[in-house]
Amino acid sequence: MYGRTILDTRDSAFRFRERTQGDHMLDLLVQPRGSHAEPVVIWSRGFADEDGRDALLNAVSEGELDITFLGRLTMMFGGAALDDLAKARVAAAVAEHAEALEAEAKRARDRLIVNLYAREGKYGRHLLELQRKSSGEADWSIRYDRAIERDRLCDWMRWQKDRFLAFLDHAAEHGGESLARMLVDEMFATERRVKKEGRGAGGMRPLRMWRGD
């Protein structure tokens, strides 16, 4: 019927004991130090699940709650005081778990959001980068010696936002250089088409006035 004896220390007359039967039952026992008498159950509670039970145990094992204080509180004021405290710990644990799940879900959502950045790099380099919202650094980048070369590609890429995820998938499978070649080839093809249609701006950035198709 009984399982582990938990938080049994030589410095306290109190300890928790887990039951192997019942609704995740937990007992608080008292046995005077040095006594050979059978320990006495001064508080018992069933929890909805192991997480609820462990919320109280973890608070004690991590030093947030003192088992001697809990034992004396129970002996002085009855089990209701510890019931209220256990409920509070379970509620806090549920809230923390919900927050952790939401944070994990947000990271998953942010991983699907990819943004395009034109940045200045070291040694006078000019960067065009794709970066996931969940990442602290670029997932793909291309470097140019001149800003106008970077901006030329940016004029085309900024209208491809719905393809950014696919671009990163391509880079993951075929490498960053392969993606760079594909993007530049598509940019050239678009420049030729827009110029033929009479919508190009001319100069080194023929797509600077382009608004996509």
Side-chain angles (χ1 to χ4, degrees):
M1 180 178 180
Y2 297 117
R4 297 175 296 165
T5 297
I6 304 168
L7 300 173
D8 186 5
T9 69
R10 297 179 181 178
D11 298 328
S12 177
F14 303 97
R15 63 182 183 273
F16 282 115
R17 180 177 64 192
E18 175 189 284
R19 296 195 203 176
T20 57
Q21 297 179 1
D23 298 329
H24 305 287
M25 294 293 296
L26 192 65
D27 297 328
L28 179 59
L29 312 176
V30 60
Q31 182 183 36
R33 284 173 289 181
S35 171
H36 297 290
E38 285 294 318
V40 177
V41 177
I42 60 173
W43 177 83
S44 293
R45 181 180 177 83
F47 294 83
D49 51 35
E50 291 184 2
D51 290 339
R53 181 197 64 205
D54 291 346
L56 180 61
L57 294 176
N58 291 340
V60 175
S61 64
E62 294 170 6
E64 297 177 26
L65 295 174
D66 180 72
I67 192 169
T68 299
F69 167 78
L70 298 180
R72 290 175 177 172
L73 179 71
T74 302
M75 294 187 73
M76 292 176 63
F77 300 104
L82 188 48
D83 281 337
D84 291 342
L85 193 149
K87 289 178 184 177
R89 296 307 307 185
V90 171
V94 169
E96 289 173 5
H97 183 62
E99 289 177 4
L101 290 178
E102 175 55 29
E104 183 178 349
K106 184 179 185 300
R107 285 192 295 270
R109 293 192 300 269
D110 287 349
R111 183 170 174 78
L112 300 178
I113 299 174
V114 181
N115 294 307
L116 177 67
Y117 296 99
R119 293 170 170 152
E120 305 306 319
K122 296 180 179 179
Y123 312 114
R125 291 297 186 94
H126 307 280
L127 311 178
L128 192 62
E129 300 180 332
L130 291 175
Q131 181 175 326
R132 296 180 192 271
K133 189 175 180 181
S134 61
S135 178
E137 57 185 27
D139 293 82
W140 172 87
S141 66
I142 187 170
R143 297 168 177 80
Y144 289 100
D145 292 330
R146 296 194 298 166
I148 196 169
E149 295 173 319
R150 174 201 62 194
D151 296 342
R152 180 181 182 180
L153 180 58
C154 185
D155 290 339
W156 177 79
M157 282 190 67
R158 64 191 178 128
W159 299 103
Q160 313 301 317
K161 187 171 180 60
D162 60 341
R163 301 174 62 193
F164 287 173
L165 267 176
F167 290 164
L168 291 184
D169 288 342
H170 181 98
E173 182 175 357
H174 304 287
E177 288 296 328
S178 174
L179 177 61
R181 289 192 298 270
M182 185 186 80
L183 298 180
V184 171
D185 287 346
E186 288 198 35
M187 177 196 71
F188 286 152
T190 302
E191 287 179 350
R192 289 192 296 268
R193 176 171 55 80
V194 169
K195 182 178 180 180
K196 184 177 180 180
E197 294 170 353
R199 297 189 291 135
M204 286 291 294
R205 295 176 59 189
L207 299 178
R208 68 181 183 275
M209 302 300 292
W210 186 58
R211 294 296 179 267
D213 291 321

